[in-house]
């Protein structure tokens, strides 16, 4: 089956959660959607109006379920083609029976992951940025993630890209003016046009670099990487468990209990964090496995967004580490040691101050003044556009300037999906659920 043939198929899938549930929504999209549902329900309700219908198996006529049927024409559907939803009862047997009946109809097939959304992209109902926003929205676990995903899905970044593109086109028009009307007094001459084009493009590059300077979406999506490090038996694993809210790490009095990194995703104060417990550092007595654990701890420390250091401040591996005086419930702890916060993860003393400190640091790691965050793909393409615009500022030859601006315009098209590779799309939609 070719891609062209597949695009003409009528697809169906369960689009709601796995049964059992109160309601199960089964969607059909494609040129044969209406005929397929007529085969089950006999008649269709008016477009965009719910109608109660008995669903019967086309083979034998057995009643499958009583369901609400909603029809959307191609001009007003999310996929840009005829789309019908069956709102059935959500029992496993009901869903299985309706899906099986649909599967026996000619020219129908089960949808692939993300295929409904892919058709919406291909038919101009969504752009690639909205698709990525929808993907993040489906995975959002914190309020901050939801807000950023909703802004991307709602088109906030696409509107920004459109504005960038219009500015680039204005710069291109000024360059063309210098090429076509260099001898015309009313245009201002070649030098004046090119100077104006350079000023315009320099301003555009600055605007785009402002977006690139914002924290990446991965930090919000995957969590701020908080690494807990220090010498052996300094209370690292106990602190991890206290922050996580459950026993994620083994805690003993034996030095070197933690030999590898332990990563735990948590939500603290509405922000996603990725907590990492590391092997304790010690000068002597470590075996080969523990040495490997310490090497991995150093790698985690280098990659951390925030570091909690539970050891001697003079030994802190990073100048920006939060110095934690831990285990203050013990009598042998030197309370006069320099520290940013003193805690007992065992009793909870000082934990409120620590979490408040983490929340304050998070405000500097996550954007507070913009509605969306850029993914690695978006940052890469926007960075390519910035490089192209910056390159256009250097040459005196307007032909070379125009070529660099065209490169920037191509990057904008890749940002919105007007010029995307199949490999990239396959990777993106492969992460969606079947019914999306």
């Amino acid at each position: 089956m070719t891609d062209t043939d597949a695009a003409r198929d009528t697809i169906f899938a369960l689009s709601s959660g796995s049964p059992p549930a109160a309601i199960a929504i089964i969607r059909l999209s494609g040129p044969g959607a209406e005929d397929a549902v007529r085969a089950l329900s006999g008649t269709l309700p008016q477009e965009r109006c719910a109608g109660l219908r008995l669903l019967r198996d086309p083979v034998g006529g057995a009643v499958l379920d009583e369901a609400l049927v909603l029809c959307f024409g191609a001009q007003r559907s999310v996929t840009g083609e005829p789309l019908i939803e069956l709102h059935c009862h959500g029992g496993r047997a009901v869903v299985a029976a309706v899906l099986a009946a649909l599967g026996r109809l000619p020219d129908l097939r089960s949808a692939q992951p993300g295929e409904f959304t892919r058709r919406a992209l291909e038919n101009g109902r969504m752009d690639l940025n909205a698709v990525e926003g929808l993907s993040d929205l489906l995975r959002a676990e914190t309020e901050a993630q939801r807000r950023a995903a909703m802004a991307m899905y709602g088109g906030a970044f696409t509107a920004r890209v459109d504005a960038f593109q219009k500015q680039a086109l204005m710069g291109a028009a000024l360059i063309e003016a210098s090429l076509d009307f260099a001898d015309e007094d009313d245009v201002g001459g070649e030098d004046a046009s090119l100077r104006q084009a350079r000023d315009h493009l320099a301003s555009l590059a600055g605007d785009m670099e402002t977006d690139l300077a914002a924290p990446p979406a991965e930090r919000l999506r995957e969590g701020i990487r908080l690494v807990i490090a220090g010498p052996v038996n300094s209370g690292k694993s106990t602190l991890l468990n206290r922050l996580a809210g459950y026993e994620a790490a083994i805690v003993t009095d034996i030095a070197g209990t933690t030999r590898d990194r332990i990563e735990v995703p948590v939500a603290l104060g509405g922000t996603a964090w990725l907590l990492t417990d590391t092997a304790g550092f010690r000068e002597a007595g470590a075996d080969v496995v523990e040495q490997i654990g310490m090497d991995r701890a150093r790698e985690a420390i280098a990659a951390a967004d925030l570091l909690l250091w539970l050891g001697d401040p003079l030994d802190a591996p990073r100048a920006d580490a939060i110095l934690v005086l831990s285990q203050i419930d013990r009598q042998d702890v030197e309370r006069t040691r320099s520290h940013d916060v003193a805690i007992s993860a065992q009793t909870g003393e000082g934990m409120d101050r620590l979490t408040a400190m983490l929340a304050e640091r998070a405000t500097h790691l996550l954007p507070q003044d913009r509605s969306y965050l850029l993914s690695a793909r978006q940052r890469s393409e926007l960075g390519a556009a910035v490089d192209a615009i910056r390159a256009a500022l250097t040459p005196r030859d307007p032909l070379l300037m125009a070529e660099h601006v065209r490169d920037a315009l191509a990057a904008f098209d890749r940002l919105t999906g007007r010029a995307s590779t199949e490999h990239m799309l396959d990777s993106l939609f492969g992460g969606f659920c079947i019914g999306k």
Side-chain angles (χ1 to χ4, degrees):
M1 180 185 296
T2 66
D3 291 340
T4 302
D5 292 333
R8 289 194 295 267
D9 288 346
T10 296
I11 57 174
F12 67 91
L14 175 66
S15 292
S16 53
S18 299
I23 298 293
I25 301 176
I26 297 173
R27 304 169 89 191
L28 299 89
S29 183
E34 293 180 355
D35 289 341
V37 175
R38 282 194 190 96
L40 271 67
S41 65
T43 62
L44 298 179
Q46 183 179 349
E47 184 178 330
R48 295 169 66 92
C49 292
L52 187 63
R53 298 290 188 274
L54 279 178
L55 303 184
R56 297 180 181 272
D57 191 333
V59 180
V63 175
L64 302 174
D65 191 25
E66 186 176 49
L68 285 177
V69 179
L70 290 92
C71 303
F72 302 89
Q75 298 302 316
R76 304 173 78 176
S77 79
V78 69
T79 58
E81 52 190 28
L83 184 142
I84 297 182
E85 292 184 352
L86 305 177
H87 292 226
C88 308
H89 292 93
R92 289 190 178 91
V94 171
V95 172
V98 175
L99 291 176
L102 291 173
R104 289 192 288 270
L105 294 174
D107 302 322
L108 259 69
R109 64 173 176 82
S110 296
Q112 298 171 359
E115 192 168 4
F116 287 89
T117 306
R118 183 164 187 158
R119 292 189 178 197
L121 174 67
E122 293 169 347
N123 292 325
R125 290 294 192 268
M126 302 174 67
D127 75 349
L128 193 54
N129 296 317
V131 170
E132 288 182 293
L134 176 59
S135 177
D136 288 342
L137 191 61
L138 296 174
R139 293 174 172 82
E141 295 184 356
T142 69
E143 178 61 15
Q145 290 172 339
R146 184 199 64 78
R147 286 197 305 267
M150 195 66 207
M152 184 63 70
Y153 175 56
F157 179 57
T158 292
R160 183 80 163 152
V161 173
D162 288 344
F164 291 154
Q165 193 163 36
K166 288 178 181 177
Q167 292 181 61
L169 288 170
M170 179 62 72
L174 291 168
I175 295 170
E176 291 295 329
S178 72
L179 287 169
D180 296 340
F181 307 105
D183 298 327
E184 298 292 335
D185 292 336
D186 60 343
V187 179
E190 179 179 1
D191 291 341
S193 293
L194 289 184
R195 281 197 301 272
Q196 189 177 358
R198 285 194 179 91
D199 291 343
H200 188 86
L201 294 175
S203 175
L204 170 59
D207 289 342
M208 291 191 291
E209 286 169 345
T210 298
D211 274 39
L212 283 175
E218 285 73 21
R219 185 174 285 165
L220 180 65
R221 183 185 302 147
E222 300 167 7
I224 298 173
R225 300 189 67 90
L226 176 65
V227 173
I228 305 171
V232 295
N233 286 353
S234 57
K236 300 181 299 298
S237 297
T238 305
L239 177 55
L240 176 85
N241 291 341
R242 169 68 70 165
L243 290 171
Y246 68 96
E247 298 294 318
I250 298 173
V251 178
T252 74
D253 292 331
I254 302 172
T257 297
T258 302
R259 295 184 164 226
D260 201 354
R261 292 181 298 192
I262 298 173
E263 295 188 338
V264 182
V266 300
L268 298 174
T271 299
W273 297 79
L274 183 63
L275 310 181
T276 302
D277 184 17
T278 58
F281 292 98
R282 57 174 167 172
E283 294 292 333
D287 58 26
V288 175
V289 176
E290 197 174 345
Q291 288 288 353
I292 295 173
M294 287 190 284
D295 289 339
R296 293 184 178 180
R298 294 184 184 95
E299 294 173 359
I301 289 170
D305 295 316
L306 285 177
L307 172 64
L308 297 182
W309 178 251
L310 276 61
D312 190 319
L314 297 177
D315 297 331
R318 286 174 42 167
D320 62 348
I322 297 176
L323 304 178
V324 179
L325 177 62
S326 61
Q327 300 175 323
I328 59 173
D329 56 299
R330 293 173 48 172
Q331 296 297 321
D332 57 345
V333 170
E334 183 185 351
R335 289 174 175 263
T336 58
R337 193 182 76 193
S338 176
H339 59 272
D340 296 316
V341 59
I343 65 162
S344 168
Q346 188 69 41
T347 66
E349 184 180 354
M351 289 301 300
D352 287 345
R353 185 179 175 192
L354 175 61
T355 54
M357 187 177 295
L358 293 176
E360 192 276 332
R361 294 287 184 101
T363 63
H364 301 290
L365 295 171
L366 298 176
Q368 305 298 310
D369 58 349
R370 66 172 56 248
S371 56
Y372 57 80
L373 294 174
L374 302 186
S375 67
R377 181 198 72 85
Q378 291 164 333
R379 295 174 69 84
S380 175
E381 297 296 356
L382 189 59
V386 169
D387 291 343
I389 294 297
R390 287 294 182 194
L393 301 176
T394 304
R396 297 183 60 83
D397 187 343
L399 289 174
L400 291 177
M401 293 178 66
E403 185 62 29
H404 289 306
V405 173
R406 279 192 287 272
D407 289 341
L409 291 171
F412 293 141
D413 283 342
R414 292 193 298 271
L415 266 172
T416 57
R418 288 186 284 265
S420 299
T421 65
E422 286 299 307
H423 176 75
M424 185 276 292
L425 291 178
D426 289 342
S427 175
L428 173 61
F429 288 112
F432 276 67
C433 58
I434 299 295
K436 271 292 183 183

